[in-house]
Structure formats: C-alpha cells, structure tokens
Amino acid sequence: MVDDEGVEMETEGGSQGGVPFQLQFDKPIPSQVKIAEWNPEKDLLAMVTEDNKIILHRFNWQRLWALFPGKGITSLCWRPDGKAIALGLDDGTISLHDVENGKLLRAVKTHSVAVICLNWEEVAQTKSQEENNLYSYEDRTMRFFPSSPRIPRMRGLGAGDSGLADDSEDSFQELSNCSYQHFNVLCSGDKDGYICFSAFGIFRMGKINIRNLSISTPALDDMTDKLRNASIQKVALSKTLCQLIVLCSGEVVGDIIRTQDECVFKDDGFVEVGGPGPYFGSSTGLHCMLLNTSIFLSRKNELHQVAQQASNIDHLIEVIRESLSLMSKQWFSAMNSFNEKFSLLSSLIISHGGLDWNPQDEFLSLLFGARTSPPLHQFLVNSLGEAGLKRVSKAVCGAGKELHVIIHEHLQPAVETMGFRVGELRGLSRWHSRFKNIGLDERLIETATEKTGMFLVQVERFARVLTVVIQLFQNFFNWVLKCIKILMPEPTDQIQQPNSELVVLFLKYIFDQDPVGQFLENSDGNHSIVTNPDTRKLIEELVAFGGFSDVGFLERTLSMEFDQLEQCFKEAFLMPFATVSKKIYCEDFLPLFPSPASTISTLNVPTSISYYKDDFDAVSNCETSLPCLLDYICFRIPDESLHMANCIGILKGLTCNSRSTDKGSTSLAALVLHIPEGYRCVDLSLYKENQLILLLSESISVENLGQSWMMMLQMNSLPFVSISRSFLGNLWNLHEVNGSAVELNLSRGKVRCIPHMVTTPLAVSASRGVASVFSARKHALVYILDEDEDEVSDME
C-alpha cells in the first residue's frame, strides 16, 4: 500500500522484531563473479568468474566441479529439469555440460558473435494433458538397436587426454533421449540481433534477426518500422512457449517516427498534428519486443518427434565423420611406414644399374627360384632386416585391425542406426497434414534415405576390401620374413608357410597401389574408385527393380559419399528450420526508455522478466487450456533518460495486451519506483508470488564506508497505472507514469542491511527461497529469503 512516506513493503520480518533475510554464510571467492544462477531443481549455484571459469557449488558451499572452456563465457542458463547447463561463449558457441561432473555434452556454434543471453523453457502441462496425451511419442530405435555408437578416439588416449569427451557419451545419450522429456526450447540471443531456437537444446529449429522484423503493435497494425542496429539484452519465453519477450537496444526507424514528426505538444498537454518532431527527440534506446512463437505449442508434438530423430542423426553424422578421419590417419600412417622402407629397394636397383627392373620383378624372380640379385639381397639383409620387417608388419596389420574395430563398433552401427532413424522420418514426412506444416519435406527425406543406403553399401564393400588387403599383406610379410631367414641363414620352422599365389596377387595389385587408401582419400581431389564394368551394368539394371537411382556411387570414395550424405541431411533439416523461422513474427512492440546513440552499443542495465499465475478472467488463456500467466518486466532507468533520476520501471500485462481483441482497451500497466537519494540500484530480480528483490548500494561518505541493502517488494500491492498504446506524439509511453512515481521507504518493510559494498549479479532461487550476493571484497553471501525452517533444513 502507499502512504505519505512512500511504498510500504510487507512487514512480516520487521513487525516481529527479527532481522529478515537470514544470512546463511559468508564465504571468500578466488575471483569476482560476473554471472550466477541457481539450479531450478537442486541446491546448486553456478558462477562464472571474471577469468571465465565456471564453478558449481552446493548450498553448503561444497564445490562440485570447476572448468575453463578456453573462451570467454558471456551467458548461462539451466535446463528446466536442472540436469544440464548451457554456456554462451564469446565466439557464438553454445556448450552444454552435465551437471554431475561438468563434462561437455554438446557444443554447437549457433551464432557468429558473442551469445549475450540464454533462456531455456519447458512447456507447461496440466495433469489431464499428461494423462491424456494423444500424441505421446516413443523412440522405437532402442527396441531394435543397442545404444548409439560412441565417437571413436585414437588408441592410447584416455578421457583426460581427449578433452573429457569420451566420458560424455553416456551423458549425451540422456541428453538426446527426448522421449521422457516434456518439449523444451533453448533460446539464445546475440549482440547482432539474432535469436536462435533449439529443441531440447540440441536441434536447431529456427533463427530470426529482429533487425529484419517489421514492428507491429495492437494499436498500429499497418506499421512497417524496423529496429536498426538492434542488440539483444534479454529473452524470456513464456511457459506456454507461445510468446517470447525480447529486451533489445537499437534505433526505431519507419512510420512511428514519421508519425511523431507530424505532431507537436501544446501547453495543455494535447497533441496537434503538424509539429516539428518527436518528444524527447530520439528513437534510440531500450525496447521491448513481443514475438509470436505459437508454432512451438501448436506443433510441439511434431517438432518433438522430428527433433528426436534429427538430433540423433546429427550425432551419428559426427560419429561417421570422426570414424573416417581416424581411419584415414591410421591407414595412411601405416602406408607411409611401408613405403618408406620398401622404396629403398628401388633406389638400390637404380644404383646397381637396373634401369629396366622394378621391385616387383625382383620379388617375383626370388619367388620363382631365381638367384637373389645384389640389390635385393642388400635390401633384405641390410636395409630392411628382420626387425625392420616386423615393425612395418606391426604398423600395417595393426592399422588393419584398428580399422576393423572402428568399422564394426562405430562406423557400421552408426550408418545402420541412421538408416532406421531416417526411415522413421520418412514415415513422418508422408503424414502431410501434420508434418508439412513444419517443413518436413518428403522428397528431401527420400533422397537422404537413398544416400544412407548407398553409404551403407560402401561401408560393407570397404570392409570386404580391407579384409582381403590385410590378408595379402600378412602373407607377403610372412614370405619376406622367410626369405630373410634363409639369406641370414636362420631356421624357418616357426614361420607359417606363405601362399605363393597370394604373393603374386600382392605384387601385382597391392605393392604399388592402395585399394584401401582409395576409399579413404579426401573428397578434395578428383579421386575415384575403379569399378568392374559388369558390376556397374548390374547396378544399372537393378534401378528398374527399385535399386539406387544414382548408379555412380560405386566410383565414389567414402569421403565423397559421406559429403553427399551430410549435404542431403542438411537440406532436409533446413526446411523445418526455415519454415519455423518464417512463422515467428513481432506481435507487439513497446519502447522503454531513450538512450544516446553514442552509448547504445554499451548499454547494460539490470533487467528481469518473469511470469506469474494470474486470477483475472480478462487474461485467461482459453486457447491453450494452460494456466494463465501474467508477465512482469523490470529494469533500471538510466539517470539521463525520460527526465527521471534513480528510478526503476516495472511493466505488467504486455502478453495479455497483445491478446486483447478490443483496439481501444489495454491491459498493459506500468509503475515507476523512485529510489531514495544516496542509494542506487545495483541489481534486481523478480521472485515468486509477485515479488521483486532489489539490491541497493549506499553512497560512500565519511560516516559510511560502504554498505548495501536488500529489500523485497510485493508487487500486487503497488499502484500500477494503465498506459496508452498510442505512439502519437510520444514514442516513450513510460513517461506517462512519471508523475505518479512511487517513493521507496527503506525504513519499513522487509529490508536487510549488508555491511559491504556489493556488485552484480544478484542470483535468486525461487524453488529454494535463497539469494546469493557478491561483495566487492570478493565474498559470496547467501541469504534465506523465505523464513521457512523446514525448507532450509531440507537444503542443508
């Protein structure tokens, strides 16, 4: 309530004589904290320090883990169930980490510049919807296939050597298993105005740039304004996933400004058309944009199913890529060892004058009983030797065994599982009435299905070629070893009898060629595999019986075939991405406060957005049958803006106002809180049950060496004022309530003095009823907001 002395906060703590906000502990921290957020489900606090380390603590301040991602951390948020944390990095990457150990689960570069803000929201469901979900979806892949294959690693590397990636495979399975999760969306915004949307945090399903969106309001439907040089400050998706509130800085250009240019304010406050220019003279500042994201709710079942399959296919593509890369490295390393040793024979032949002779002729001559030539004798006894031969044999045959392991444990299972998953997508794509609306194109999925089959044929073909080649190498090495022992002379009883016919085949087709390497050649050059004409003719005849329409796949290397496969999936998944992106549009727009153009790029004020349950029938959400939520938007107003000094602005009902069908009515209300002189707002956070937590610092003086205050406001008792939605004459509607600003009174209510200067951030946990504050002397202080002894004891 409001009286002559200002706004009176709830007096529960003060009226009983006790000190509100019990201090739980005060702990030193190694570095100043710049970002902090409590886990929504557990008593865990994630903190990002100034030196870009992320540290996870329990409520009792036990450190669970800490990691340094190697890049600047610019934002973070928790998955709604608290089992994973997302980090936004300064290079545009979003990395997901396991809450248990900090292991990297997935890293996706969704932006080209720093990720300024993150918001991860899960769709709210009523109990009846959970019990009667007609479109519940079970991933059937696990019925027929074992768990998804791991990404292969170079032999000898442990989990620590591979950047913690090996141990994250099991955690990724849980992350990608969307069957047992409610549909959730990760939103990310950057300083260039881009907002990305990812289903379950791993499947990109939309991206927009607010600079390209046409600004729209309920009062002015035909406006064609744009927001120039827009930079995202904060995003908040509603529990229904239907609307996204975006706080962004930038300059409004278009019809709104032209409308203001035609108006002038009179002394009596009325507006007259034909005036000289806009009130306050600037369209640059902080703005609030409301985006319609109703497709996430209306098509959540379809998006859920596509995201389930597509995210796993993306993971399988990574498994295939790493498998091919590792096989190529290992095989060509082994071939380099072989060629390095056996190329010496060519040099010896030339040095002995054998210009018309080659190594194959020398070996064939020895095989068929001719006398050993001097260069071959010198090569076998001196240059190669038994030890050298065993090293080469170990390198080649060992590489062959490793390639077989990669094929059978990683590559082939990945392709087979991919074939099943794309088959699931193929079935969904034929359900046009449901899945065409989200861009799942049947033709593109058919092409991806065929490419997956082609690649599987190539993998099986490669495995057979590898088996034959390794057998020929082993037989050849046995024969050469026997020859070396005869020349030494040494007994040959322990050597397996070589097959002379296989030695001939090796010398003819393998010695100076590389059938295995042909399959593993990079796709950069014009490499091709020689195919038997009869085989090609047979493949062409199979087209009439449903065979692959692209008969040239037998001539392509594995890398070339994989590139085509990956491109097909990119095109197939780009269609839902583009379709969803086009269906996100601006539903409402509200300028908040102006700011000089010279400072707009560095504008950074405390802001907070939240949704609370509302009991008013005027804002009921009948369309979705979900609990009605009323939005609140809080922000600190810069001193030089709107002729206000040391004020906080609060808006409520923006999303409800956009649903109003009456153009003349508005449910949007606002309030300006005036902070007493000598104090300034360091940070603020909306809290449960329509409460606002303020963190204030007191000016330093001779009597006061620096102290701060934390206070709680009950917002449903504050005198909100309805504001008009007409931009005629004044772009900044919030100025309408400046005259009715409410003075804060720190001598009353739920207020706690903190005997230190504090800094941002203020981290508040609604589920645990605690707040963490960080002092300038590098200390972390945790306060109990809800004086409920049972709740505190549970956390301890």
Side-chain angles (χ1 to χ4, degrees):
M1 62 182 175
V2 181
D3 57 17
D4 295 338
E5 297 183 5
V7 63
E8 180 180 346
M9 282 66 68
E10 63 178 44
T11 60
E12 179 184 353
S15 63
Q16 297 176 351
V19 179
F21 309 139
Q22 174 190 348
L23 177 63
Q24 188 68 13
F25 54 76
D26 181 349
K27 299 288 186 179
I29 50 179
S31 180
Q32 197 60 264
V33 173
K34 63 178 182 179
I35 308 172
E37 188 168 333
W38 286 93
N39 187 298
E41 296 292 333
K42 304 177 182 179
D43 60 335
L44 301 174
L45 176 64
M47 297 174 291
V48 177
T49 61
E50 291 289 351
D51 54 356
N52 290 304
K53 290 181 181 177
I54 178 169
I55 307 171
L56 191 69
H57 278 269
R58 288 195 180 277
F59 180 78
N60 60 8
W61 212 244
Q62 173 193 2
R63 177 184 288 195
L64 293 186
W65 50 261
L67 64 88
F68 176 61
K71 300 170 185 174
I73 304 175
T74 52
S75 56
L76 73 81
C77 75
W78 289 95
R79 198 169 79 173
D81 62 3
K83 294 182 179 180
I85 188 170
L87 301 181
L89 306 181
D90 57 7
D91 67 341
T93 300
I94 297 177
S95 60
L96 306 182
H97 298 263
D98 188 1
V99 66
E100 297 296 334
N101 47 31
K103 301 294 185 181
L104 179 65
L105 304 177
R106 174 70 70 91
V108 183
K109 190 172 176 62
T110 55
H111 299 264
S112 57
V113 293
V115 181
I116 300 300
C117 55
L118 292 167
N119 176 239
W120 207 334
E121 201 61 63
E122 181 179 77
V123 64
Q125 285 191 327
T126 63
K127 186 176 181 180
S128 60
Q129 285 176 319
E130 292 179 350
E131 294 175 351
N132 303 308
N133 193 348
L134 299 178
Y135 301 104
S136 60
Y137 176 65
E138 177 189 0
D139 184 11
R140 302 186 302 169
T141 309
M142 303 307 293
R143 294 186 188 179
F144 309 101
F145 294 89
S147 59
S148 183
R150 295 169 175 259
I151 295 177
R153 300 298 177 191
M154 187 75 75
R155 193 171 185 175
L157 286 180
D161 301 323
S162 58
L164 306 178
D166 277 333
D167 292 343
S168 70
E169 294 290 336
D170 295 332
S171 300
F172 176 79
Q173 299 303 320
E174 190 277 331
L175 177 72
S176 61
N177 186 6
C178 312
S179 298
Y180 305 104
Q181 298 182 43
H182 289 163
F183 184 67
N184 58 72
V185 179
L186 174 63
C187 306
S188 57
D190 65 30
K191 64 180 182 180
D192 283 350
Y194 282 97
I195 302 175
C196 291
F197 304 91
S198 301
F200 304 101
I202 54 179
F203 174 64
R204 294 178 59 200
M205 60 178 181
K207 185 175 184 178
I208 62 169
N209 190 335
I210 62 172
R211 299 180 182 182
N212 299 329
L213 294 179
S214 295
I215 294 174
S216 175
T217 69
L220 301 170
D221 291 334
D222 57 346
M223 289 296 181
T224 59
D225 295 68
K226 302 284 186 181
L227 199 57
R228 186 163 57 191
N229 299 326
S231 177
I232 308 295
Q233 300 287 328
K234 186 182 286 291
V235 293
L237 192 62
S238 67
K239 293 289 185 181
T240 63
L241 307 185
C242 289
Q243 293 169 310
L244 177 73
I245 295 177
V246 181
L247 296 184
C248 52
S249 59
E251 179 186 6
V252 180
V253 293
D255 293 337
I256 294 178
I257 303 305
R258 287 194 295 271
T259 301
Q260 293 185 76
D261 289 339
E262 298 172 357
C263 304
V264 62
F265 280 81
K266 292 180 155 186
D267 294 337
D268 55 8
F270 289 96
V271 180
E272 182 179 273
V273 178
Y279 199 30
F280 293 111
S282 173
S283 62
T284 302
L286 184 70
H287 311 278
C288 180
M289 184 178 288
L290 181 64
L291 302 184
N292 186 301
T293 57
S294 57
I295 187 174
F296 295 152
L297 180 66
S298 62
R299 296 296 175 183
K300 67 182 180 67
N301 295 296
E302 293 87 342
L303 290 170
H304 189 146
Q305 296 177 58
V306 173
Q308 171 78 59
Q309 301 298 345
S311 60
N312 280 278
I313 288 175
D314 285 342
H315 173 68
L316 295 172
I317 286 176
E318 289 301 316
V319 173
I320 295 172
R321 176 184 289 109
E322 292 300 321
S323 297
L324 294 178
S325 175
L326 186 55
M327 288 195 304
S328 178
K329 291 177 182 178
Q330 291 190 338
W331 181 255
F332 287 120
S333 175
M335 286 297 97
N336 286 337
S337 299
F338 175 79
N339 294 327
E340 183 180 352
K341 277 294 183 183
F342 281 82
S343 62
L344 297 175
L345 179 56
S346 298
S347 302
L348 292 174
I349 293 173
I350 294 174
S351 63
H352 283 78
L355 299 178
D356 298 332
W357 209 245
N358 57 48
Q360 293 95 314
D361 295 334
E362 290 285 352
F363 283 121
L364 287 172
S365 177
L366 178 62
L367 178 65
F368 293 121
R371 184 177 178 182
T372 307
S373 64
L376 182 58
H377 187 279
Q378 181 179 350
F379 170 74
L380 293 176
V381 175
N382 300 327
S383 301
L384 181 62
E386 183 178 346
L389 179 64
K390 288 184 177 180
R391 283 195 297 269
V392 174
S393 176
K394 182 179 180 181
V396 175
C397 297
K401 291 180 181 179
E402 289 294 326
L403 263 62
H404 273 298
V405 170
I406 294 174
I407 291 172
H408 295 299
E409 295 184 4
H410 303 277
L411 181 60
Q412 191 166 0
V415 184
E416 292 173 348
T417 307
M418 180 184 291
F420 182 86
R421 290 193 177 278
V422 73
E424 294 282 270
L425 285 177
R426 184 185 182 189
L428 297 178
S429 68
R430 293 182 175 182
W431 196 352
H432 294 172
S433 61
R434 293 186 62 83
F435 289 89
K436 194 171 184 180
N437 291 324
I438 63 168
L440 193 63
D441 188 271
E442 182 181 358
R443 180 184 59 83
L444 295 176
I445 296 298
E446 288 278 1
T447 303
T449 304
E450 180 171 292
K451 288 295 181 183
T452 304
M454 291 179 184
F455 192 76
L456 181 58
V457 171
Q458 288 288 67
V459 170
E460 294 176 347
R461 181 184 175 203
F462 171 70
R464 291 196 299 268
V465 170
L466 177 63
T467 300
V468 172
V469 169
I470 294 301
Q471 182 181 359
L472 292 176
F473 263 110
Q474 289 174 336
N475 184 77
F476 175 72
F477 289 143
N478 282 335
W479 175 73
V480 173
L481 179 60
K482 184 176 182 179
C483 293
I484 292 175
K485 287 185 173 292
I486 292 174
L487 294 174
M488 290 300 289
E490 292 181 2
T492 61
D493 299 340
Q494 302 299 322
I495 302 177
Q496 183 180 357
Q497 184 65 28
N499 187 314
S500 300
E501 294 182 1
L502 296 183
V503 173
V504 174
L505 291 175
F506 177 86
L507 294 172
K508 184 177 181 180
Y509 296 108
I510 307 298
F511 186 83
D512 58 352
Q513 301 177 46
D514 189 2
V516 173
Q518 285 184 354
F519 281 89
L520 298 174
E521 289 285 355
N522 294 328
S523 56
D524 302 340
N526 296 321
H527 306 289
S528 61
I529 300 174
V530 178
T531 306
N532 188 301
D534 294 336
T535 303
R536 183 180 179 87
K537 183 178 180 181
L538 180 61
I539 293 297
E540 293 174 350
E541 292 175 352
L542 289 175
V543 174
F545 299 94
F548 301 132
S549 57
D550 182 5
V551 297
F553 74 95
L554 291 176
E555 298 178 357
R556 292 192 289 267
T557 66
L558 283 174
S559 295
M560 295 168 63
E561 197 66 48
F562 172 70
D563 288 346
Q564 292 192 11
L565 173 66
E566 185 180 20
Q567 184 61 33
C568 285
F569 277 112
K570 283 183 178 179
E571 294 176 359
F573 296 154
L574 185 61
M575 285 297 292
F577 179 86
T579 302
V580 171
S581 299
K582 290 177 181 178
K583 295 188 178 183
I584 299 173
Y585 60 90
C586 178
E587 192 172 52
D588 203 349
F589 178 79
L590 181 67
L592 299 181
F593 59 77
S595 180
S598 58
T599 63
I600 196 65
S601 60
T602 58
L603 181 64
N604 185 19
V605 296
T607 59
S608 183
I609 306 173
S610 189
Y611 298 85
Y612 300 110
K613 289 183 180 180
D614 192 84
D615 299 328
F616 296 107
D617 295 335
V619 292
S620 61
N621 195 354
C622 300
E623 296 179 1
T624 62
S625 300
L626 292 171
C628 178
L629 298 175
L630 183 66
D631 60 281
Y632 280 81
I633 306 169
C634 299
F635 51 92
R636 189 183 71 195
I637 303 173
D639 291 343
E640 69 277 4
S641 181
L642 294 176
H643 300 333
M644 302 180 187
N646 210 14
C647 290
I648 295 172
I650 307 176
L651 294 170
K652 72 172 182 177
L654 179 66
T655 58
C656 303
N657 185 77
S658 67
R659 293 194 295 266
S660 176
T661 57
D662 186 357
K663 298 288 184 180
S665 66
T666 177
S667 59
L668 181 64
L671 175 74
V672 171
L673 297 176
H674 184 262
I675 302 172
E677 186 176 355
Y679 299 86
R680 71 176 185 89
C681 177
V682 176
D683 206 350
L684 51 83
S685 178
L686 288 162
Y687 187 52
K688 61 183 179 181
E689 299 176 358
N690 300 72
Q691 294 164 330
L692 174 64
I693 308 297
L694 296 178
L695 188 61
L696 308 177
S697 65
E698 194 171 346
S699 301
I700 299 178
S701 61
V702 177
E703 297 82 6
N704 175 29
L705 298 180
Q707 62 182 7
S708 305
W709 300 81
M710 184 166 61
M711 60 190 306
M712 178 185 291
L713 298 177
Q714 191 70 36
M715 289 187 297
N716 54 15
S717 64
L718 297 178
F720 281 88
V721 178
S722 296
I723 61 176
S724 67
R725 300 309 316 279
S726 173
F727 291 111
L728 192 62
N730 184 9
L731 181 64
W732 313 100
N733 300 99
L734 196 61
H735 188 264
E736 297 177 15
V737 297
N738 188 18
S740 57
V742 177
E743 296 286 337
L744 292 183
N745 190 339
L746 273 69
S747 63
R748 298 186 180 189
K750 207 165 185 178
V751 183
R752 170 73 185 238
C753 178
I754 303 173
H756 314 290
M757 292 298 295
V758 296
T759 63
T760 57
L762 166 66
V764 175
S765 171
S767 62
R768 297 296 173 179
V770 296
S772 57
V773 178
F774 302 92
S775 69
R777 59 187 182 95
K778 295 183 180 179
H779 272 239
L781 302 90
V782 175
Y783 292 91
I784 305 298
L785 298 179
D786 297 330
E787 297 169 357
D788 188 338
E789 295 181 359
D790 294 336
E791 185 174 356
V792 174
S793 63
D794 289 342
M795 289 186 293
E796 292 175 345

